[in-house]
């Protein structure tokens, strides 16, 4: 029989599996209600906060003061229209996901911002316009800018919840058991009553770095309720490929990882083995603008470019992507197109002028000005030159080609893709045709039309979208090509939950004692995003499911 592990003793109200954002929010809500909580985390203490720590801190808010100050007219009705047009709910299993979506959009349009402000979370005043969509008013995408960046990025969003948990620890109401790996749920008389697993040897691995898997002990803990907050499958490429949807072509032979290897989906299978219902496993959110991290933390570490709309996008053979598959417009539409083409990479072609204005890199560590809340460093973005982390990638990154002439650029691209013959004639023709289209303020190049439209929005004109210019204008150079890879990131399906966060069993009825939050629950209901996301919604899904579920458990005990 596994031995109890030392620490807080007595009867636990809730065991939470996973110390990421969703788990911490759930714990904070339970502790505020006077409940006793144990958090199990297989990684060392350095990784407290999980993937949220690495995030850019983007939040989906509707009709916010920041939007209104930027001249954006948003509403609950418009956000709801965009959500449903993007999600494309069409399955019987979507009932709970749709219900969570309705609740979340209402939350984002009403109390979400005030709730965050009350606990000290502030947002950057310029609202970004992510996932601009596929060109139809009723179809996928954000009709207006809604991407609110937390001032301080992911670490600042985590901070108030970590502090509430630490207060609970000081009061003897909470304990975090690091290096505790859950291996199974304890079920008695049809109810989940605890967790069993293994204790791993202590490890001084830094945040995100691989830690050892040497077992030194076993444990079994009992509680009145258990919450699965273990995340998705983005670090497990075998599972990504196993559930890759045929609608997006064949899975890539090679991918970069946007999350560490321990984000492996293992807990989803453990919950399923205990009788939980898993739905929508073929719904995923991966990016096509991944670049190899020149200074990696985990194996296959990739960083996503958050692009403005001006770079010309070509497939691996040098054929320009069709509209409206422009940078920053339709993530999964672009991924599906590239997978049908059949190669594992694509290309941006751009200028120094574009990279200075339009390239941002996703991640707290790639945005030291925003993460460090430094006004002085932030103002440098308005001056000449690209942000420091972007320039570092341009200089050191293995996926960047910098050249003064097209012939030099093409030679560098072919050297990075020796096994695929690039159609240099097509590539040259597209670039030169793009440049001729700038002889007039009108024309038939719909990407240029989209760029000009984007600059009507003050936020894009200030810090996000370069003024239209010729790619071959030497004053805008040098020329730059970037080799782009598929970057794994989020799981949009998961454990199906009702609106209290209770996990449903195979009979579609709530399992007694078992709850799920965050990505493990498909961010609510087993898939509140449907097939696609509006961006800025993943952190928000962790916040919302943790808040709702923590309060529901407290009320039920």
């Amino acid at each position: 029989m596994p031995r109890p592990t030392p620490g807080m003793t007595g009867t636990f109200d809730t065991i939470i599996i996973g110390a990421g954002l969703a788990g911490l929010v759930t714990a904070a809500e339970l502790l505020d209600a006077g409940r006793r909580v144990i958090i199990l985390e297989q990684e060392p203490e350095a990784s407290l906060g999980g993937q949220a720590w690495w995030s850019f801190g983007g939040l989906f808010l509707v009709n916010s003061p920041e939007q209104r100050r930027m001249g954006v007219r948003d509403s609950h009705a418009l956000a709801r229209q965009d959500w449903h047009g993007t999600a494309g709910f069409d399955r019987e299993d979507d009932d709970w996901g749709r219900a969570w979506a309705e609740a979340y959009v209402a939350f984002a349009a009403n109390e979400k911002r005030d709730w965050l402000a009350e606990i000290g979370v502030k947002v950057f005043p310029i609202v970004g316009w992510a996932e601009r969509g596929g060109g139809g008013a009723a179809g996928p995408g954000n009709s207006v800018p809604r991407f609110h960046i937390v001032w301080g990025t992911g670490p600042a969003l985590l901070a108030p919840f970590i502090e509430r948990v630490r207060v609970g620890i000081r009061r003897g109401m909470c304990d975090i058991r690091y290096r505790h790996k859950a291996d199974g749920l304890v079920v008695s008389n049809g109810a989940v009553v605890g967790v069993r697993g293994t204790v791993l040897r202590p490890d001084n691995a830094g945040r995100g770095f691989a830690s050892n898997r040497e077992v030194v002990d076993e444990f079994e803990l009992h509680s009145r309720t258990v919450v699965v907050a273990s995340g998705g499958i983005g670090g497990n490429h075998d599972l990504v490929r196993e559930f890759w949807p045929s609608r997006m072509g064949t899975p890539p032979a090679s991918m970069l990882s946007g999350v560490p290897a321990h984000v492996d989906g293992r807990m989803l299978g453990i919950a399923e083995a205990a009788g939980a219902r898993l739905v929508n496993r073929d719904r995923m959110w991966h990016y096509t603008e991944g670049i190899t991290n020149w200074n990696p933390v985990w194996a296959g570490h990739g960083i996503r470019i958050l692009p403005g709309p001006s770079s010309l996008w070509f497939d691996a053979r040098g054929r320009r992507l069709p509209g409206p598959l422009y940078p920053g417009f339709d993530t999964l539409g672009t991924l599906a197109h590239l997978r049908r083409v059949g190669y594992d990479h694509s290309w941006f072609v751009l200028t120094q002028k574009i990279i200075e204005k339009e390239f941002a890199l996703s991640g707290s560590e790639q945005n030291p000005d925003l993460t460090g809340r430094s006004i002085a460093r932030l103002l440098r973005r308005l001056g000449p030159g690209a942000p420091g982390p972007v320039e570092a990638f341009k200089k050191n990154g293995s996926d960047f080609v910098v050249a003064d002439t097209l012939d030099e650029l093409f030679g560098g691209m072919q050297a990075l893709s020796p096994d695929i013959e690039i159609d240099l004639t097509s590539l040259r023709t597209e670039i030169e045709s793009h440049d001729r289209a700038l002889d007039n303020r009108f024309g038939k190049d719909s990407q240029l039309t989209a760029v000009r439209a984007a600059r009507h929005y003050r936020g894009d004109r200030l810090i996000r979208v370069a003024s239209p210019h010729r790619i071959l204008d030497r004053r805008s150079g040098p020329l730059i090509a970037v080799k782009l890879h598929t970057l794994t990131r989020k799981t949009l399906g998961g454990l199906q939950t009702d609106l209290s966060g209770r996990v449903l069993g195979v009979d579609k009825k709530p399992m007694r004692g078992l709850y799920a939050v965050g990505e493990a629950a498909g961010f609510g209901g087993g898939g509140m995003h449907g097939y696609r996301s509006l961006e800025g919604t993943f952190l928000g899904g962790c916040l919302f499911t943790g808040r709702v579920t923590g309060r529901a458990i407290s009320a039920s005990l």
Side-chain angles (χ1 to χ4, degrees):
M1 172 69 70
R3 298 191 302 273
T5 51
M8 189 177 76
T9 59
T11 302
F12 312 133
D13 292 305
T14 302
I15 297 172
I16 298 172
I17 304 171
L21 179 60
L24 292 171
V25 175
T26 307
E29 293 291 339
L30 287 161
L31 291 167
D32 286 352
R35 306 304 180 189
R36 291 169 61 85
V37 178
I38 291 281
I39 303 173
L40 305 180
E41 172 55 55
Q42 69 176 2
E43 296 307 304
E45 186 174 359
S47 288
L48 178 64
Q51 303 320 300
W53 189 92
W54 298 97
S55 76
F56 196 28
L59 293 176
F60 178 87
L61 297 173
V62 178
N63 192 27
S64 69
E66 290 76 21
Q67 286 176 297
R68 295 193 293 271
R69 282 194 290 268
M70 296 300 295
V72 175
R73 297 181 179 179
D74 200 5
S75 67
H76 182 190
L78 182 60
R80 184 178 180 276
Q81 170 187 299
D82 286 348
W83 192 288
H84 282 273
T86 300
F89 296 121
D90 63 359
R91 297 174 176 174
E92 181 180 347
D93 285 337
D94 285 336
D95 288 351
W96 285 112
R98 185 185 291 109
W100 272 96
E102 291 282 357
Y104 177 66
V105 174
F107 176 62
N110 292 287
E111 60 187 307
K112 180 180 178 182
R113 187 187 178 280
D114 290 342
W115 174 61
L116 290 171
E118 287 172 4
I119 60 176
V121 176
K122 299 178 181 179
V123 295
F124 187 61
I126 298 178
V127 184
W129 197 349
E131 198 65 12
R132 299 168 193 245
N142 285 294
S143 297
V144 297
R146 295 192 179 104
F147 193 78
H148 297 68
I149 301 169
V150 172
W151 184 231
T153 66
L157 182 61
L158 281 164
F161 302 105
I162 291 175
E163 177 57 25
R164 284 158 71 184
V165 167
R166 285 177 173 160
V167 169
I169 293 172
R170 291 194 293 269
R171 292 177 176 173
M173 299 296 292
C174 181
D175 193 7
I176 303 181
R177 306 282 177 89
Y178 296 105
R179 309 299 287 153
H180 279 56
K181 181 167 67 74
D183 295 324
L185 299 174
V186 180
V187 180
S188 177
N189 296 323
V192 175
V193 297
V195 180
R196 56 180 171 78
T198 48
V199 181
L200 304 178
R201 181 169 59 82
D203 198 309
N204 293 323
R207 183 183 295 276
F209 285 91
S211 61
N212 75 75
R213 288 294 178 266
E214 182 182 336
V215 175
V216 297
D217 205 349
E218 298 178 332
F219 72 89
E220 182 168 312
L221 296 169
H222 291 187
S223 62
R224 300 167 72 183
T225 55
V226 173
V227 179
V228 178
S230 54
I233 68 171
N236 186 336
H237 291 191
D238 290 338
L239 269 186
V240 169
R241 292 189 182 96
E242 179 180 349
F243 293 104
W244 188 275
S246 59
R247 64 182 176 276
M248 290 199 299
T250 58
S254 65
M255 297 180 281
L256 297 175
S257 289
V259 294
H262 65 255
V263 185
D264 58 8
R266 184 171 165 276
M267 195 63 218
L268 297 176
I270 291 171
E272 185 178 36
R277 179 175 168 79
L278 274 172
V279 296
N280 298 318
R281 301 200 70 177
D282 63 326
R283 291 180 179 171
M284 310 173 185
W285 189 258
H286 306 305
Y287 293 109
T288 50
E289 312 98 328
I291 51 177
T292 307
N293 194 344
W294 65 273
N295 187 23
V297 175
W298 53 81
H301 189 175
I303 297 293
R304 186 204 174 196
I305 296 171
L306 297 168
S310 300
S311 297
L312 301 185
W313 205 337
F314 298 90
D315 67 22
R317 293 190 59 191
R319 296 170 293 197
R320 191 173 175 186
L321 270 59
L325 303 183
Y326 312 131
F329 274 68
D330 184 355
T331 295
L332 291 195
T334 305
L335 179 59
H337 173 81
L338 291 173
R339 294 314 310 146
R340 286 192 290 268
V341 169
Y343 297 99
D344 287 356
H345 70 272
S346 61
W347 294 96
F348 278 166
V349 172
L350 60 148
T351 64
Q352 179 68 22
K353 183 175 180 178
I354 292 173
I355 203 173
E356 289 182 1
K357 189 92 172 209
E358 298 195 6
F359 268 36
L361 300 175
S362 181
S364 57
E365 82 285 14
Q366 301 296 334
N367 295 274
D369 47 0
L370 288 163
T371 301
R373 293 182 272 203
S374 170
I375 298 293
R377 296 180 74 173
L378 189 62
L379 289 174
R380 294 176 195 165
R381 293 199 185 211
L382 301 178
V390 174
E391 280 294 338
F393 265 88
K394 193 181 87 173
K395 178 182 177 181
N396 302 308
S398 60
D399 295 316
F400 283 73
V401 179
V402 182
D404 292 322
T405 69
L406 271 186
D407 288 339
E408 292 173 358
L409 190 77
F410 293 166
M413 293 170 67
Q414 190 66 76
L416 289 185
S417 182
D419 298 329
I420 301 173
E421 184 176 354
I422 300 175
D423 187 342
L424 301 182
T425 300
S426 173
L427 201 58
R428 186 185 298 272
T429 297
E430 287 290 353
I431 293 170
E432 292 176 346
S433 298
H434 165 275
D435 284 5
R436 290 191 194 99
L438 285 160
D439 289 340
N440 296 285
R441 293 185 179 181
F442 47 85
K444 64 181 181 179
D445 190 316
S446 56
Q447 183 172 358
L448 284 172
T449 300
V451 169
R452 291 177 174 125
R455 286 177 59 82
H456 287 307
Y457 169 52
R458 193 187 321 154
D460 278 348
R461 189 169 65 252
L462 281 172
I463 64 170
R464 202 68 181 104
V465 181
S467 57
H469 61 278
R470 292 172 176 81
I471 299 293
L472 299 179
D473 184 346
R474 288 186 174 271
R475 294 170 298 178
S476 301
L479 297 167
I480 302 167
V482 186
K483 187 178 182 180
L484 307 170
H485 311 267
T486 301
L487 178 71
T488 64
R489 187 60 65 85
K490 296 300 180 185
T491 309
L492 302 187
L495 296 169
Q496 192 167 43
T497 59
D498 67 11
L499 282 176
S500 295
R502 296 182 297 179
V503 173
L504 305 187
V506 292
D507 60 358
K508 300 185 181 182
K509 296 179 181 179
M511 295 179 65
R512 285 187 291 144
L514 187 61
Y515 295 76
V517 294
E519 194 172 354
F523 300 96
M528 77 169 183
H529 294 93
Y531 289 93
R532 311 171 196 86
S533 164
L534 283 173
E535 288 286 28
T537 55
F538 301 131
L539 292 174
C542 292
L543 293 169
F544 188 56
T545 54
R547 183 179 190 260
V548 168
T549 303
R551 295 182 180 189
I553 293 172
S554 296
S556 71
L557 294 176

